[in-house]
Amino acid sequence: MTQDQLADRYQGYIACLNGQDWANLGNFVHEDVRYNSTRIGLSGYREMLEGDFRAIPDLFFDIQLLICEPPRVASRLQFDCTPKGELFGLPVNGRKVQFAENVFYEFLDGKIENVWSVIDKAAIEAQL
């Protein structure tokens, strides 16, 4: 995959998440996906994302920075959302918060095989 193809593929994945198009998640995510070095598989990945949307009904993944170097993607995602209860162990409870996620992906055969994610929890804490 070229850089441009990988960028397009990643943007399609983000559109899939934002549309909560779970039926098509397997088109973007490998069956044996690992999240922060733990194999959770496609079903576990989907469950994690569905849980995120239940906890944060207005969740929207906004790409702020995208760097593609096949087979890897580095992205900074920005969030401006209103979690219903706790978020990452913090008592947000319906308050609007803004934070970023720095995330790296590794693709295999056009699908995400590895995800390494770091959430800016300190930004959330500063808003509470």
Side-chain angles (χ1 to χ4, degrees), residues 37-109:
S37 300
T38 300
R39 186 196 172 283
I40 61 174
L42 178 58
S43 62
Y45 198 74
R46 177 179 172 164
E47 288 173 18
M48 177 184 70
L49 290 165
E50 288 175 332
D52 291 343
F53 276 94
R54 278 191 302 276
I56 311 169
D58 62 347
L59 184 60
F60 182 82
F61 293 75
D62 184 12
I63 302 170
Q64 296 292 301
L65 177 65
L66 179 59
I67 299 170
C68 298
E69 186 178 299
R72 294 177 190 89
V73 167
S75 181
R76 182 171 175 85
L77 301 170
Q78 186 65 38
F79 300 94
D80 184 357
C81 57
T82 314
K84 292 192 299 189
E86 282 192 2
L87 181 65
F88 312 119
L90 299 171
V92 178
N93 301 323
R95 285 180 273 190
K96 191 170 224 21
V97 291
Q98 296 176 341
F99 63 95
E101 176 184 17
N102 296 307
V103 61
F104 298 88
Y105 304 86
E106 189 170 53
F107 284 71
L108 175 67
D109 299 327

Side-chain angles (χ1 to χ4, degrees), residues 4 7 9 11 21 27 51 60 63 81 107 110 121 126-128:
D4 289 342
R9 188 84 178 132
Q11 289 166 339
D21 185 6
N27 292 328
F60 182 82
I63 302 170
C81 57
F107 284 71
K121 189 174 170 182
Q127 296 167 68
L128 299 180

